[in-house]
Amino acid sequence: MIIQKEMIAGLFKDLASVKESGKKVVYTFIPGNLSELIRSFDMLPVYPEINALQSGMRKKSGEFIREAERHGHSEDVCTYVKCDVGMMIKGNIGPTGEKLPDPDLLLLSYTGCFTFMKWFETLERLYPGVPVALIQSPYQEDATITPEMTEYMVKQLKEEVIPKMEEVSGQKFDEEKLKGILKLSAEAEDWIVKIFDSTKHRPSPIDAYFAGVYYIGPINIGFRGTQEAVDYYKELYKEVQERIAKGLGPITPEGVMKEEKFRLVVEGPPNWTSFREFWKLFYDRGAVIVASSYTKVGGVYDYGFRHDSEHPLETLAEYCMNCYTNLNLPQRINLLEKCITEYHADGYLTNSIKSCNSFAAGQLMMMRELEERLEIPVGFIETDLVDPRYFSYSNIKNRLESFFEMLEQRLLIEQD
Amino acid sequence: MNSDQIYTMGIDVGGSYVKGVIMQYSDSPVLVDKKCEKIRRRNPSEVAVDLIDFLLKKNNLSYEKDIVYLASTGEGEMVSKKRGHFYSMTSHSRGGKFFVPEARTVVDMGGLYVRAIKIDERGRVMDYKMTGQCASGSGQFIENISRYLGLAIDEVGDISMQSDTPEVPSGICAVLAETDVINSVSRGISTPDIIKGIHLSIANRVVRLIAKLKAESPIVLVGGMGMNKGMVDAVRELADENRNHFEIVTHPDAIYSGAIGAALWGGYRHFKLIEKEAALNLV
């Protein structure tokens, strides 16, 4: 945790000092991000979702959202967008209290979320004259990435993204440099897969949702492709192995979880504005999350995908198209089924996010399908990403208690 | 009071009311006394303690000498006098079985939400389905509407039965439904038709839950709304319309199901603890 915090603090420090360093800044998104390509041009990424979630955790998002609504954004718009836009309107002071630099390039590398396009239109208006690079990423409608889809993406990288990056950074595209970065990405990805796979143990040494969101931090916010990320994940893996050897459960904000009573798979992002209270509702009842879809939002590695340094542009293209929300609903169901089965989950919980259509659309159908297929107890709660108005503690508590109660009874019946 | 009898108490702290019961615990338990108190912006814990004291005094019982177990449920975990706490689905299921021993589904229709619970022959929770966060599926919603129409909550059942052309409001959102009701009043729609419409709107949610749960008969409607004749009638009507031929029953003490269930589980736990202690003494 300490190393991770230092890495993130370092990135924000670098962003705060771009005037001195002369580094160029790219605003982009986490799903389908092109971290390695950005890094190969020595540019720095800014992820608006990260700013929004950090603002949510620091109880600042409500104010930013209201500011965006005063500027005409509807109550139904994604609250990451409104938090981000509100923050920019109020001076773009980032979560660490330092002013974030203006973008030199707006890079939209994943269009599977329609809101992202509208978000970028807003950014374009907020930063007039800043070049925009946009890739249209095909949806996995037929549950596959065809060679034509990859070819189409590579063409856009070559003709749209790379020329704009060259122009903004003043550097020529260096394929060998990119290959070196990609090698490190694959290495970090191998480690993170092993870490999340550790939840097969009983008790699970980690919580793959509440703690998982911290673990995916470095790989999702620009450190993929760095030695720092590889070292971080190696260290984390070592720590997880030690926990397994000692038979320890996951770490919570109140220490090691004493008893693992329920193992869950969770679908949907967490709520950030009441993150600690939300987490407490689980660990107080001995519920550990053994897998979650949200920790796959930056990349799905479950079926063996790793960045391939031998095919640099093709691998970036495939990575973009392989992010969780670009999978069609049957693919998502199959992936969740795999998680439930392989990690021996006792229950499946959906956290439906009021303002995130990319996640929320289809969640009920997915839940019903998994319930039918696996006869697993399912639960459904509703919260939001960073709008504190949509977190109703007592409602969520009531629903979770009912869910845990059913799990408890089912486990008792199984023991009979 | 008969000193040979074993007494347990159950206290159910809900969103709007605190309910308390004294049970005579045996293989054929008997409901000795009951009391229900609206919270009305008071501290629910204090309301609960006052209610416990009231019931004990009225029945000439001593908490220390006569009550072998006082169990809480719902939000009753903070009640200082409780000996143990039971989760509300467990308590309502047991309460539902007390009313109808052969029950296989219990629908808890309370102030905050509706929850359909599938139970096994021993009253254990097998599965459940619950309404969403919106208040349009809750007893509190009926209270709000009845207050707006100037009716007492215990009148709405009878008034609803007088309706011949119910005016059903939006079933999606409580705020939209309230607007519909205001509009209905200004259009001169009769009070029975408005109330029946509200009941049908909630009943529609209940029937959908029952269907999703793949519920089995008999279905017992418990909780505060289970005592509302108009509500029960609306559930039966819609279930029949949807060709779900369920046997839907209720009980005049439906609001006490949680408290009754907690008191019965309390008695069960008391004797289990005695058995455990006896076994330890033998060792």
Side-chain angles (χ1 to χ4, degrees):
Chain A
M1 194 67 88
I2 298 162
I3 303 174
Q4 193 248 27
K5 274 188 176 169
E6 283 171 1
M7 287 165 83
I8 293 169
L11 173 65
F12 279 104
K13 211 173 166 191
D14 286 348
L15 285 168
S17 54
V18 286
K19 270 191 187 154
E20 295 82 55
S21 67
K23 286 201 169 183
K24 301 294 178 190
V25 175
V26 183
Y27 280 24
T28 190
F29 291 118
I30 287 174
N33 68 73
L34 298 171
S35 291
E36 294 83 357
L37 196 60
I38 296 170
R39 190 164 285 281
S40 78
F41 284 98
D42 295 320
M43 296 192 285
L44 291 171
V46 168
Y47 297 98
E49 307 107 301
I50 297 295
N51 297 334
L53 76 86
Q54 295 259 4
S55 298
M57 288 176 109
R58 289 170 162 85
K59 313 281 182 203
K60 290 177 178 168
S61 55
E63 181 196 334
F64 293 149
I65 288 167
R66 280 193 298 277
E67 185 65 28
E69 286 176 356
R70 273 196 286 274
H71 281 75
H73 288 266
S74 145
E75 221 172 83
D76 293 325
V77 168
C78 165
T79 51
Y80 272 172
V81 177
K82 285 190 290 188
C83 181
D84 186 44
V85 169
M87 188 181 87
M88 286 172 189
I89 295 170
K90 280 180 155 285
N92 216 15
I93 308 297
T96 55
E98 286 162 311
K99 189 182 182 311
L100 288 168
D102 287 351
D104 297 296
L105 176 67
L106 296 170
L107 169 65
L108 179 54
S109 54
Y110 170 64
T111 48
C113 171
F114 185 69
T115 301
F116 279 2
M117 290 207 281
K118 307 309 282 180
W119 195 340
F120 259 60
E121 284 173 12
T122 305
L123 291 179
E124 214 180 344
R125 279 197 294 275
L126 282 169
Y127 299 104
V130 173
V132 179
L134 186 147
I135 301 182
Q136 201 268 324
S137 41
Y139 183 60
Q140 289 204 39
E141 191 186 349
D142 296 322
T144 184
I145 296 173
T146 63
E148 292 77 17
M149 283 158 75
T150 306
E151 197 184 314
Y152 175 55
M153 287 287 285
V154 169
K155 187 170 182 280
Q156 294 180 82
L157 286 171
K158 281 181 179 167
E159 293 175 5
E160 167 81 5
V161 178
I162 292 175
K164 282 196 175 140
M165 284 189 167
E166 285 180 331
E167 190 191 317
V168 168
S169 68
Q171 290 185 25
K172 283 298 285 173
F173 171 56
D174 181 344
E175 192 172 289
E176 287 311 308
K177 188 176 176 186
L178 177 62
K179 282 181 175 178
I181 294 170
L182 289 167
K183 259 188 199 160
L184 290 170
S185 289
E187 205 178 326
E189 286 160 354
D190 274 340
W191 287 112
I192 203 162
V193 167
K194 284 183 189 165
I195 290 160
F196 278 107
D197 229 25
S198 69
T199 60
K200 280 178 182 160
H201 289 268
R202 278 182 198 263
S204 169
I206 61 164
D207 185 291
Y209 187 52
F210 294 105
V213 296
Y214 291 98
Y215 302 151
I216 58 167
I219 207 164
N220 279 349
I221 64 158
F223 289 96
R224 220 175 44 234
T226 66
Q227 189 58 46
E228 263 174 298
V230 173
D231 293 344
Y232 165 75
Y233 286 114
K234 268 188 192 170
E235 189 61 31
L236 180 58
Y237 179 71
K238 207 173 103 192
E239 197 181 304
V240 170
Q241 290 307 303
E242 282 169 13
R243 301 187 69 74
I244 294 171
K246 290 178 184 164
L248 293 174
I251 297 172
T252 74
E254 292 178 50
V256 177
M257 200 168 96
K258 286 179 187 70
E259 189 193 2
E260 176 186 290
K261 284 179 83 176
F262 313 116
R263 298 165 63 85
L264 308 178
V265 168
V266 175
E267 216 289 320
N271 165 271
W272 300 107
T273 51
S274 304
F275 187 79
R276 285 284 174 94
E277 284 164 279
F278 191 37
W279 189 354
K280 188 170 165 57
L281 286 168
F282 290 78
Y283 66 72
D284 271 356
R285 293 294 304 267
V288 60
I289 319 304
V290 290
S292 67
S293 57
Y294 187 66
T295 48
K296 303 174 195 305
V297 73
V300 177
Y301 305 109
D302 302 62
Y303 296 117
F305 173 86
R306 303 288 184 271
H307 279 93
D308 175 6
S309 58
E310 292 307 306
H311 305 93
L313 295 186
E314 288 76 7
T315 202
L316 289 174
E318 279 166 16
Y319 171 78
C320 283
M321 291 184 284
N322 199 35
C323 69
Y324 180 75
T325 49
N326 206 46
L327 303 183
N328 72 14
L329 298 182
Q331 279 176 297
R332 293 187 210 183
I333 294 169
N334 291 341
L335 177 59
L336 290 160
E337 181 183 6
K338 183 174 176 305
C339 291
I340 292 167
T341 314
E342 287 184 2
Y343 301 117
H344 310 289
D346 304 308
Y348 171 80
L349 181 76
T350 300
N351 181 24
S352 185
I353 293 295
K354 200 255 171 199
S355 70
C356 181
N357 295 337
S358 288
F359 265 97
Q363 274 183 327
L364 266 177
M365 181 278 284
M366 286 156 61
M367 186 174 85
R368 296 279 163 253
E369 177 63 23
L370 286 164
E371 188 182 21
E372 286 277 314
R373 227 187 254 189
L374 303 172
E375 291 184 356
I376 187 165
V378 298
F380 188 84
I381 53 172
E382 293 160 87
T383 70
D384 190 51
L385 297 163
V386 290
D387 191 337
R389 296 170 298 188
Y390 293 112
F391 186 86
S392 162
Y393 180 80
S394 47
N395 256 308
I396 293 158
K397 185 171 172 274
N398 276 334
R399 275 156 183 75
L400 282 177
E401 279 190 350
S402 302
F403 179 55
F404 292 140
E405 212 178 326
M406 179 177 62
L407 287 176
E408 201 162 302
Q409 300 260 341
R410 286 261 189 122
L411 290 176
L412 283 174
I413 292 166
E414 275 169 27
Q415 281 163 17
D416 272 2
Chain B
M1 281 287 165
N2 187 338
S3 58
D4 297 336
Q5 300 295 342
I6 293 153
Y7 296 104
T8 61
M9 285 188 86
I11 194 94
D12 177 11
V13 180
S16 312
Y17 294 87
V18 177
K19 290 81 69 178
V21 297
I22 297 177
M23 299 293 291
Q24 196 187 88
Y25 187 79
S26 68
D27 288 342
S28 311
V30 177
L31 174 62
V32 176
D33 204 358
K34 65 204 175 187
K35 183 167 169 60
C36 177
E37 184 79 24
K38 193 157 173 58
I39 296 171
R40 290 185 208 282
R41 287 183 232 151
R42 289 175 289 170
N43 179 335
S45 262
E46 287 169 14
V47 176
V49 171
D50 288 349
L51 193 146
I52 294 164
D53 292 343
F54 173 86
L55 281 173
L56 288 170
K57 199 173 169 192
K58 187 180 162 207
N59 290 279
N60 202 21
L61 289 170
S62 151
Y63 172 72
E64 289 78 16
K65 289 182 193 156
D66 301 313
I67 306 297
V68 299
Y69 205 103
L70 193 155
S72 64
T73 191
E75 296 296 317
E77 242 173 323
M78 69 292 198
V79 175
S80 54
K81 282 188 165 174
K82 68 154 199 313
R83 195 171 154 200
H85 181 81
F86 294 91
Y87 292 115
S88 58
M89 281 205 297
T90 312
S91 301
H92 282 286
S93 303
R94 186 68 189 86
K97 270 199 104 55
F98 172 75
F99 297 141
V100 182
E102 61 280 14
R104 296 312 293 264
T105 306
V106 174
V107 182
D108 169 23
M109 306 203 298
L112 296 177
Y113 47 78
V114 174
R115 196 164 45 185
I117 311 159
K118 195 188 254 187
I119 55 175
D120 69 2
E121 67 285 351
R122 288 164 64 185
R124 294 181 301 188
V125 178
M126 303 292 289
D127 201 356
Y128 79 103
K129 293 285 175 266
M130 196 169 179
T131 47
Q133 287 194 152
C134 178
S136 59
S138 70
Q140 187 60 50
F141 177 54
I142 298 185
E143 279 208 51
N144 293 350
I145 297 295
S146 56
R147 198 179 307 124
Y148 173 73
L149 295 172
L151 302 171
I153 190 69
D154 40 11
E155 303 181 82
V156 294
D158 285 329
I159 290 175
S160 171
M161 306 290 273
Q162 295 161 20
S163 162
D164 42 29
T165 43
E167 182 74 11
V168 183
S170 158
I172 298 166
C173 158
V175 178
L176 290 181
E178 281 196 49
T179 316
D180 283 349
V181 168
I182 293 166
N183 186 262
S184 298
V185 171
S186 58
R187 282 190 293 129
I189 308 283
S190 75
T191 302
D193 286 345
I194 295 174
I195 289 290
K196 179 70 186 273
I198 294 290
H199 285 151
L200 284 171
S201 160
I202 296 175
N204 185 36
R205 285 170 177 257
V206 175
V207 170
R208 283 204 321 250
L209 288 185
I210 293 171
K212 264 197 241 167
L213 187 68
K214 296 181 182 142
E216 288 170 39
S217 289
I219 297 173
V220 197
L221 306 183
V222 300
M225 284 197 282
M227 291 168 53
N228 173 341
K229 270 190 265 179
M231 185 72 238
V232 176
D233 191 61
V235 174
R236 286 188 181 130
E237 191 180 315
L238 286 189
D240 284 347
E241 260 179 36
N242 288 291
R243 296 185 187 167
N244 295 322
H245 300 298
F246 293 117
E247 186 193 337
I248 296 171
V249 286
T250 185
H251 192 276
D253 290 324
I255 197 168
Y256 295 99
S257 61
I260 291 171
L264 295 176
W265 279 120
Y268 176 81
R269 192 180 276 175
H270 169 71
F271 285 104
K272 277 279 169 202
L273 289 171
I274 289 176
E275 269 176 36
K276 258 191 186 173
E277 270 172 32
L280 281 173
N281 287 339
L282 278 177
V283 174

